[in-house]
Amino acid sequence: MKVPPADNILQLSHEIGHVYHYSCLNKEAAINSNCSLATMEATAIFTENFLQRRMLEICSPKEKLNMLSGILMRYVKLNACAWLEI
């Protein structure tokens, strides 16, 4: 069985973080369910980072290098976009 790329798995965990956040908000009154984008992203990024750390613990040295390279590239892209206001 072919294992999907780490980026796909991490993206899925990010989206699951959003699902979890919205499921928690669903239990709240409407007045309490409005929150900022930063708050919404915090849960998603937490779940992504949680899985990322676990994957780094169990992967081979070659896989770890590939994952760290991908992490670095995403970080550079995100900061470049923010700096250039893209």
Side-chain angles (χ1 to χ4, degrees):
M1 181 169 108
K2 186 176 178 183
V3 177
D7 284 348
N8 294 354
I9 295 169
L10 293 173
Q11 180 66 40
L12 181 60
S13 68
H14 180 95
E15 299 309 325
I16 289 171
H18 285 301
V19 171
Y20 176 74
H21 179 245
Y22 287 119
S23 70
C24 290
L25 285 180
N26 203 21
K27 300 170 189 169
E28 294 292 326
I31 195 165
N32 295 333
S33 64
N34 191 16
C35 60
S36 70
L37 179 61
T39 303
M40 290 187 283
E41 283 298 314
T43 309
I45 292 170
F46 173 81
T47 56
E48 184 179 349
N49 288 341
F50 181 82
L51 180 62
Q52 193 172 64
R53 282 180 168 225
R54 181 66 182 129
M55 288 172 69
L56 285 170
E57 289 173 3
I58 64 172
C59 66
S60 70
K62 184 178 179 180
E63 291 169 327
K64 187 178 286 191
L65 184 60
N66 287 336
M67 279 190 63
L68 291 171
S69 173
I71 292 166
L72 181 60
M73 289 305 294
R74 278 195 310 278
Y75 181 77
V76 168
K77 285 179 187 176
L78 285 173
N79 285 308
C81 290
W83 184 69
L84 296 172
E85 296 180 357
I86 295 175

